[in-house]
Amino acid sequence: MWTLVGRGWSHGRALAVWAAGTAQRGRLEPLPTPTRGAPAEFRAWDRLYTSAERKEKIDMSRFSVENIRNFSIIAHVDHGKSTLADRLLELTGTIDKTKNNKQVLDKLQVERERGITVKAQTASLFYNWEGKQYLLNLIDTPGHVDFSYEVSRSLSACQGVLLVVDANEGIQAQTVANFFLAFEAQLSVIPVINKIDLKNADPERVEKQIEKVFDIPSDECIKISAKLGTNVERVLQAVIERIPPPKVHRKNPLRALVFDSTFDQYRGVIANVALFDGVVSKGDKIVSAHTKKIHEVNEVGVLNPNEQPAHKLYAGQVGYLIAGMKDVTEAQIGDTLYLHKQPVEPLPGFKSAKPMVFAGMYPIDQSEYNNLKSAIEKLTINDSSVTVHRDSSLALGAGWRLGFLGLLHMEVFNQRLEQEYNASVILTTPTVPYKAVLSSAKLIKEYREKEITIINPAQFPEKSKVSEYLEPVVLGTIITPDEYTGKVMMLCQARRAVQKNMIFIDQNRVMLKYLFPLNEIVVDFYDSLKSLSSGYASFDYEDAGYQTAELVKMDILLNGNIVEELITIVHKDKAHSVGKAICERLKDSLPRQLFEIAIQAAIGSKIIARETVKAYRKNVLAKCYGGDITRKMKLLKRQAEGKKKLRKVGNIEVPRDAFIKVLKTQSDK
């Protein structure tokens, strides 16, 4: 670097080159001598290096397995999980107490803007109690149904959970879903009633709800106010007393589960790991059970909540590991890592997430295709529940068909692409995966299976070749105040839902269970439910397989020609209303031509809806002043014949922005 200065480079420019080089190698390096007499930039770099060196690595061996507790915080949306996490971080001295501590673990811009948790975040807390120092590994999880995969993954690294319930709102739909996730994983559940400081709080009523719905004795509930910090100390003590330490063996060879990962452009993949057996330290050669590739560990440590390097990580602990994995495919979530030449039985990993909603994603400009491809790859390593299939469209060019867990998940993914990777995309209307049972032997031979899944409406097979169509169904849970029950039931019936159960949780709250066709709830059901219940009803759903349905493929025709991008799969009963809506939207979006354009929605050869875009028309009678009517009729007839001829030979080019208006998810819904 001093060579660059000798060549006449400015100190600042030479330092920038040196800093970029050291960052590329993934570590801070000392400045080459001489630094005496160097300008302020160099001295600042030297200070940064020495402070990083002084930041001593933590010795994790002082925490025996008996003094480790791994737990998650689970709850419905907005019941105070992240606020409770802030107080726990303050109590254990992990972060300083300041008024700015609001959702410290919500690090993404999208989380700050929307006020929701999207990514599960890990933090290791050191806590002294009764003369012993405990290591508490806390995972703060999202509350929305679309991110339940994050919750189920986080639970694999835990032995217990804090189930947080709002003292004002009581048990909600996602509270029930998250409890059963923890219950199935056989974890210890500590119920925590939060927001007892609110004016309308009724913790006694919530205690009774918890006892009735979850069969947990009311004396086990801890009443707290996470905002004010009231009684939060008792939560930490309950974690130590009621949650068992992990069952692990430190003398066995290394077995680590990758339960989350992020991509850093300088250091590559940062994997969040839970150690089930053995020890890992810097310099170890590790192997991925999935790819069988060997990597050398560059750094291990714990998240406190920021990265804190450690000498070693031991079984039972949760931390991060950097091993120079530069390719996004090398750190699969659910993968098992083990030491080179010491193979072990891989851990069960995770059930892969099942996408509920599919949407086409295309770059606004095709020259941005490669940049968008790289951005999607990097983002899917951090959000492994998104599935990606290559796709292309005549109107929109090359792109992808992405599978998401829900509509909010799709919106958040799109927002993160824009904010973190500066990528602008076109997102088409979401669809759900249908199935068709084939009857034609020729088709069965072609597809090599009798039952095929259709994620792109253009590939929907004709009725003559199919014995039955299947649509995905979900079991929905709605919890609502009883005065809105009638309205909620009417809404569910309008969405072709079948009632399965109805339970009164207490005097004024009802839990309804319905079997819904997924395509009926995917776009605007949640909004409709919130608006007719004044925001009080909550909704959650889980996959319930497939059921037979009368599905039809609806084509959109422009002057008799099918537009492939606008093909839609709808239920027979809803075909007319959906077809009419698409035709009206197209009429508003298409520019007028010199000839008339007929926009039609058709099922097979039957036209079910039509709109017409009127032609531009020249006034051919302008030159006629009076005169015989036959002269005027002759001119009009000639014009009509010309228009007819034009309509036959004229080709309608649908402009790209018209496609975007029709295909885009409706913002008004």
Side-chain angles (χ1 to χ4, degrees), residues 222-259:
I222 303 170
K223 297 171 197 165
I224 66 159
S225 165
K227 187 179 177 182
L228 304 178
T230 315
N231 228 0
V232 175
E233 189 96 35
R234 269 195 63 199
V235 174
L236 283 173
Q237 291 164 11
V239 165
I240 292 167
E241 288 169 355
R242 297 195 217 166
I243 294 176
K247 291 175 185 167
V248 292
H249 305 94
R250 291 190 173 177
K251 292 192 170 77
N252 288 4
L254 171 71
R255 251 200 330 175
L257 175 74
V258 179
F259 66 91

Side-chain angles (χ1 to χ4, degrees), residues 366-379:
Q366 278 297 310
S367 62
E368 291 292 309
Y369 179 84
N370 287 334
N371 294 346
L372 183 57
K373 183 184 176 191
S374 158
I376 289 173
E377 281 176 356
K378 285 173 184 168
L379 196 48

Side-chain angles (χ1 to χ4, degrees), residues 76 169 172 479-481 484 509 526-539:
H76 188 75
E169 293 184 5
Q172 298 289 318
I479 295 181
T480 176
Y484 301 109
R509 294 183 76 77
Y526 191 67
D527 296 345
S528 308
L529 179 69
K530 282 287 182 191
S531 62
L532 66 81
S533 67
S534 309
Y536 286 111
S538 63
F539 178 64

Side-chain angles (χ1 to χ4, degrees), residues 254 258 267-269 271 280-300 321-332 335-341:
L254 171 71
V258 179
R267 298 183 295 173
V269 176
V280 66
S281 60
K282 183 181 173 179
D284 285 349
K285 283 191 165 50
I286 57 164
V287 183
S288 150
H290 180 72
T291 61
K292 299 288 184 271
K293 286 188 178 177
I294 301 168
H295 303 279
E296 186 176 333
V297 178
N298 298 334
E299 189 182 316
V300 294
L321 176 149
I322 302 170
M325 301 176 190
K326 289 289 180 191
D327 188 3
V328 289
T329 57
E330 289 174 3
Q332 294 287 329
D335 196 0
T336 302
L337 303 176
Y338 57 87
L339 291 175
H340 183 45
K341 294 184 179 170

Side-chain angles (χ1 to χ4, degrees), residues 531-552:
S531 62
L532 66 81
S533 67
S534 309
Y536 286 111
S538 63
F539 178 64
D540 173 68
Y541 60 85
E542 58 185 275
D543 182 31
Y546 281 77
Q547 72 177 16
T548 333
E550 287 192 73
L551 301 173
V552 288

Side-chain angles (χ1 to χ4, degrees), residues 128 155 485:
N128 281 311
L155 297 183
T485 311

Side-chain angles (χ1 to χ4, degrees), residues 110 114 361 372 379 402 404 408-420 423-427 664-665:
V110 63
R114 288 175 178 257
M361 186 176 274
L372 183 57
L379 196 48
L402 302 182
F404 302 98
L408 178 70
H409 185 206
M410 182 177 90
E411 285 173 22
V412 165
F413 188 87
N414 189 18
Q415 201 171 331
R416 286 185 70 186
L417 269 179
E418 284 178 14
Q419 290 173 348
E420 295 171 33
S424 299
V425 297
I426 301 161
L427 212 55
K664 228 174 180 179
T665 51

